[in-house]
Structures are given as C-alpha cells and as structure tokens.
Amino acid sequence: ALPASPRGLRDIPDYEEDDARRLAEREVGHPLLPAGVSRYWSGQALAFITQHPGDYLALLGKKFVALWNHYEIADSYHYTFMRTHFLRLLYPMVAFALVAPLALVGLALPFWRRRDWTALYLASFAYLVTPLLFYVRSRYRLPGVPFLMVFAAVAVERLTAAVRARDGTTTALLAGGLALAALFVNHEYCEAAHDGLPAVCLGGDTWYDQEWLKLTAWYEEKDDLERALAYAERARECTTPRSAGQVPF
C-alpha cells in the first residue's frame, strides 16, 4: 500500500518518466511512445491481478486501511513535515484525524431512509475508490475530504440531537461507533519490508529526510552552503529515511 517503485525506477520526479520508459523498452526490446509505455505498465498491473487475485485482494485491504489512516502520506509535499516545522499555526485546524472518524460514523448511518443522499454516496464512493486502484497519497485523498466532511457533519448533528433529547441508547451507540472509528483511523499503520522498501511505520519523522534534502538542494542553488549542509545533516538524522544513498555524507 505504501510507495514502492519497480527495481531500477528512481523515486525522484526528475527521473521517473525516463526510467519508466527505459525499463519498458528494455523488456519489449524496441523503442516505445508514451502511449506504449503506459500500455506496458498497465499490462504488468493487470497481469499481477489476474495471476495473483488473492494477493491483489490483500493489497486492496492494506490500501483501504492506509486510505483511512490519519497520516498524510507524502508525495509532492509532506504536509505533516510542513506543519511540524514551518506552519505550526495549522495545528489547531481540523485534520483528517478528526474528520475521518466522524465521516465513518456518518457513512454508517441508515442512509437508505434518505434517498436524496444516494447521489452523495455514489460521488463519494466513485472518488475514494480511485486511490485504492492506483496510489494512496494525501494529495489524491484530499479532493474526497469535502464529501467526507458532509458525512462528518451529519454524525455531529445526530450525536448532538441525541444528547439534547437525552436519548441514552442512541448517544451510546454513536459515541461507541465514534470511539471505534477513531481507533481505526488514528492507529499507527505499519508495513513490513517489501519490493526494496524497508519496514516502516507512519508516524514521527517518517520520510522527513526527503523534505530536508529538498531544502538542501534549494539552498545549494542559492550558494548558501552553510544552510545546505545544515539541512543535509537534518536529513541524515531522520530515523525513518526514504532516500538511502541520496544524503551527501
């Protein structure tokens, strides 16, 4: 479920496209246009699904858990890193860790009694299934959050109404469901080593090293070598790196 590139494909935007083409051309034995490269990798994915259906279903299960996990899986930007080190005013803001448990409770409410909600369920499902089929990343999950916030608001409204009405049974059911959802969303998600990716748990300074290295490169271009070296050192100190071999020490 977590980022792992095919062997020989560097997980760096400057090289990903060329590496993907080079690997595909090496396998087919002739040059490929972009459409041909896309067909090759799509074919590889479909071959895996048809030849290993059990493994694919297990992978979808892991991706489902990762999709709902509170941790913002980094891609172009590492939101958790930026909030921790540069945008600390964002800490009081509502995060996925709060929206997701409420949304799960809202999604579990008996929507079949409200046919006017069907379109919202279909739109939410249609979008959220997309990262399950491709990549689970925070920036791909983000466009689905507005849909989830509607369901989260429903859960808040139902829970508030139950408390005001002193309906102990409904309050207990909703509160219990919210507690279970919070545990599911906010647990520390871990994966064993696979496909060249070391074992990792989502938390702490996971993959902060790549963000420090981006700052290293930026200050190096500005000829501020003192800051560049300082940020490179911060990358080297990270406990859960993703850039083995990239730290200049």
Side-chain angles (χ1 to χ4, degrees), residues 42-72:
S42 297
Q44 292 294 105
L46 291 174
F48 173 81
I49 293 171
T50 55
Q51 295 171 13
H52 308 280
D55 291 338
Y56 179 63
L57 290 176
L59 176 62
L60 285 180
K62 291 180 180 179
K63 292 172 78 173
F64 178 83
V65 175
L67 177 68
W68 285 97
N69 192 265
H70 71 100
Y71 194 81
E72 300 286 356

Coordinates of all heavy atoms in Angstrom, one line a residue, residues 42-72:
S42 N 0.4 -0.8 -17.6 CA -0.9 -1.2 -17.3 C -1.1 -2.7 -17.5 O -1.7 -3.4 -16.7 CB -1.9 -0.5 -18.3 OG -1.9 0.9 -18.1
G43 N -0.4 -3.2 -18.5 CA -0.4 -4.7 -18.7 C 0.3 -5.4 -17.6 O -0.2 -6.5 -17.2
Q44 N 1.3 -4.9 -17.0 CA 2.0 -5.5 -15.9 C 1.1 -5.6 -14.7 O 1.0 -6.6 -14.0 CB 3.3 -4.7 -15.5 CG 4.4 -4.8 -16.6 CD 4.9 -6.2 -16.7 OE1 4.7 -6.9 -17.7 NE2 5.7 -6.6 -15.7
A45 N 0.3 -4.5 -14.5 CA -0.6 -4.4 -13.3 C -1.7 -5.4 -13.5 O -2.1 -6.2 -12.6 CB -1.2 -3.0 -13.2
L46 N -2.3 -5.5 -14.7 CA -3.4 -6.4 -15.0 C -2.9 -7.9 -14.9 O -3.6 -8.8 -14.4 CB -4.0 -6.2 -16.3 CG -4.8 -4.8 -16.5 CD1 -5.2 -4.6 -17.9 CD2 -6.0 -4.8 -15.5
A47 N -1.7 -8.1 -15.3 CA -1.1 -9.5 -15.2 C -1.0 -9.9 -13.8 O -1.3 -11.1 -13.4 CB 0.2 -9.6 -15.9
F48 N -0.5 -9.0 -12.9 CA -0.4 -9.3 -11.5 C -1.8 -9.6 -10.9 O -2.0 -10.6 -10.1 CB 0.2 -8.1 -10.7 CG 0.2 -8.3 -9.2 CD1 1.1 -9.1 -8.6 CD2 -0.8 -7.7 -8.5 CE1 1.1 -9.3 -7.2 CE2 -0.8 -7.8 -7.1 CZ 0.1 -8.6 -6.5
I49 N -2.8 -8.8 -11.3 CA -4.2 -9.0 -10.7 C -4.7 -10.4 -11.1 O -5.3 -11.1 -10.3 CB -5.1 -7.9 -11.2 CG1 -4.6 -6.5 -10.6 CG2 -6.5 -8.2 -10.8 CD1 -5.4 -5.3 -11.1
T50 N -4.6 -10.7 -12.4 CA -5.2 -12.0 -12.9 C -4.4 -13.2 -12.4 O -5.0 -14.3 -12.1 CB -5.2 -12.0 -14.4 OG1 -3.9 -11.7 -14.9 CG2 -6.2 -10.9 -14.9
Q51 N -3.1 -13.1 -12.2 CA -2.3 -14.2 -11.8 C -2.2 -14.4 -10.3 O -2.0 -15.5 -9.8 CB -0.8 -14.1 -12.4 CG -0.7 -14.1 -13.9 CD 0.6 -13.7 -14.4 OE1 1.6 -13.6 -13.6 NE2 0.7 -13.4 -15.7
H52 N -2.4 -13.3 -9.6 CA -2.4 -13.4 -8.1 C -3.6 -12.7 -7.5 O -3.5 -11.7 -6.8 CB -1.1 -12.7 -7.6 CG 0.1 -13.2 -8.2 ND1 0.8 -14.4 -7.9 CD2 0.9 -12.7 -9.2 CE1 1.8 -14.6 -8.6 NE2 1.9 -13.6 -9.4
P53 N -4.8 -13.2 -7.7 CA -6.0 -12.5 -7.2 C -6.1 -12.4 -5.7 O -6.5 -11.4 -5.2 CB -7.2 -13.3 -7.8 CG -6.6 -14.7 -8.1 CD -5.2 -14.4 -8.5
G54 N -5.6 -13.4 -5.0 CA -5.6 -13.3 -3.6 C -4.7 -12.3 -3.0 O -5.0 -11.5 -2.1
D55 N -3.5 -12.2 -3.6 CA -2.5 -11.1 -3.2 C -3.1 -9.8 -3.5 O -2.8 -8.8 -2.7 CB -1.2 -11.3 -3.9 CG -0.5 -12.6 -3.5 OD1 -0.7 -13.1 -2.3 OD2 0.4 -13.1 -4.2
Y56 N -3.8 -9.6 -4.7 CA -4.3 -8.3 -5.0 C -5.4 -7.9 -4.0 O -5.5 -6.7 -3.6 CB -4.9 -8.4 -6.4 CG -5.5 -7.1 -6.9 CD1 -4.7 -5.9 -7.0 CD2 -6.8 -7.0 -7.2 CE1 -5.2 -4.7 -7.4 CE2 -7.4 -5.7 -7.6 CZ -6.6 -4.6 -7.7 OH -7.1 -3.4 -8.0
L57 N -6.3 -8.8 -3.6 CA -7.3 -8.5 -2.7 C -6.7 -8.1 -1.3 O -7.2 -7.2 -0.6 CB -8.3 -9.7 -2.5 CG -9.2 -10.0 -3.7 CD1 -10.0 -11.3 -3.4 CD2 -10.1 -8.8 -4.0
A58 N -5.6 -8.8 -0.9 CA -4.9 -8.5 0.3 C -4.3 -7.1 0.2 O -4.3 -6.3 1.2 CB -3.8 -9.5 0.6
L59 N -3.8 -6.8 -1.0 CA -3.2 -5.4 -1.2 C -4.3 -4.4 -1.1 O -4.1 -3.3 -0.5 CB -2.5 -5.4 -2.6 CG -2.0 -4.0 -3.0 CD1 -0.9 -3.6 -2.1 CD2 -1.4 -4.1 -4.4
L60 N -5.5 -4.6 -1.7 CA -6.6 -3.7 -1.6 C -7.0 -3.4 -0.2 O -7.3 -2.3 0.2 CB -7.8 -4.2 -2.4 CG -7.7 -4.0 -3.9 CD1 -8.9 -4.6 -4.6 CD2 -7.4 -2.6 -4.4
G61 N -6.9 -4.5 0.6 CA -7.3 -4.4 2.1 C -6.3 -3.4 2.8 O -6.7 -2.6 3.6
K62 N -5.0 -3.6 2.5 CA -4.0 -2.7 3.1 C -4.2 -1.3 2.6 O -4.0 -0.4 3.4 CB -2.6 -3.2 2.7 CG -2.2 -4.5 3.3 CD -0.8 -4.9 2.9 CE -0.4 -6.3 3.5 NZ 1.0 -6.6 3.1
K63 N -4.5 -1.1 1.3 CA -4.6 0.2 0.8 C -5.9 0.9 1.4 O -5.9 2.1 1.6 CB -4.7 0.2 -0.7 CG -3.4 -0.2 -1.4 CD -3.6 -0.5 -2.9 CE -3.6 0.8 -3.6 NZ -3.6 0.6 -5.1
F64 N -6.9 0.1 1.7 CA -8.1 0.6 2.3 C -7.8 1.2 3.7 O -8.2 2.3 4.1 CB -9.2 -0.4 2.4 CG -10.5 0.0 3.1 CD1 -11.4 0.7 2.4 CD2 -10.7 -0.2 4.4 CE1 -12.6 1.2 3.0 CE2 -11.8 0.2 5.1 CZ -12.8 0.9 4.4
V65 N -7.0 0.4 4.5 CA -6.6 0.8 5.8 C -5.7 2.1 5.7 O -5.9 3.0 6.5 CB -5.9 -0.3 6.5 CG1 -5.4 0.2 7.9 CG2 -6.8 -1.5 6.7
A66 N -4.8 2.1 4.8 CA -3.9 3.2 4.6 C -4.7 4.5 4.2 O -4.4 5.6 4.6 CB -2.8 2.9 3.6
L67 N -5.7 4.3 3.3 CA -6.5 5.4 2.8 C -7.2 6.1 4.0 O -7.3 7.3 4.0 CB -7.6 4.9 1.8 CG -8.6 5.9 1.3 CD1 -7.8 6.9 0.4 CD2 -9.7 5.2 0.5
W68 N -7.7 5.3 5.0 CA -8.4 5.9 6.1 C -7.5 6.3 7.3 O -8.0 6.8 8.3 CB -9.5 5.0 6.6 CG -10.7 5.0 5.6 CD1 -10.9 4.1 4.6 CD2 -11.7 5.9 5.6 NE1 -12.1 4.4 4.0 CE2 -12.6 5.5 4.5 CE3 -12.1 7.1 6.3 CZ2 -13.8 6.2 4.2 CZ3 -13.2 7.8 6.0 CH2 -14.0 7.3 5.0
N69 N -6.2 6.0 7.1 CA -5.3 6.3 8.2 C -5.1 7.9 8.3 O -5.1 8.6 7.3 CB -4.0 5.6 8.1 CG -3.1 5.7 9.3 OD1 -2.2 6.6 9.4 ND2 -3.3 4.8 10.2
H70 N -4.9 8.3 9.6 CA -4.8 9.8 9.8 C -3.5 10.3 9.2 O -3.4 11.5 8.9 CB -4.7 10.0 11.3 CG -3.4 9.6 12.0 ND1 -2.4 10.4 12.2 CD2 -3.0 8.3 12.3 CE1 -1.4 9.8 12.8 NE2 -1.8 8.5 12.9
Y71 N -2.5 9.5 9.0 CA -1.2 10.0 8.5 C -1.3 10.5 7.1 O -1.9 9.9 6.2 CB -0.1 9.0 8.6 CG 1.3 9.5 8.5 CD1 1.9 10.1 9.5 CD2 2.0 9.5 7.2 CE1 3.2 10.6 9.4 CE2 3.3 9.9 7.1 CZ 3.9 10.5 8.2 OH 5.1 11.0 8.1
E72 N -0.7 11.7 6.8 CA -0.7 12.3 5.5 C 0.5 11.7 4.7 O 1.6 12.1 4.9 CB -0.6 13.8 5.5 CG -1.8 14.5 6.3 CD -3.1 14.4 5.5 OE1 -3.1 14.0 4.4 OE2 -4.1 14.9 6.1

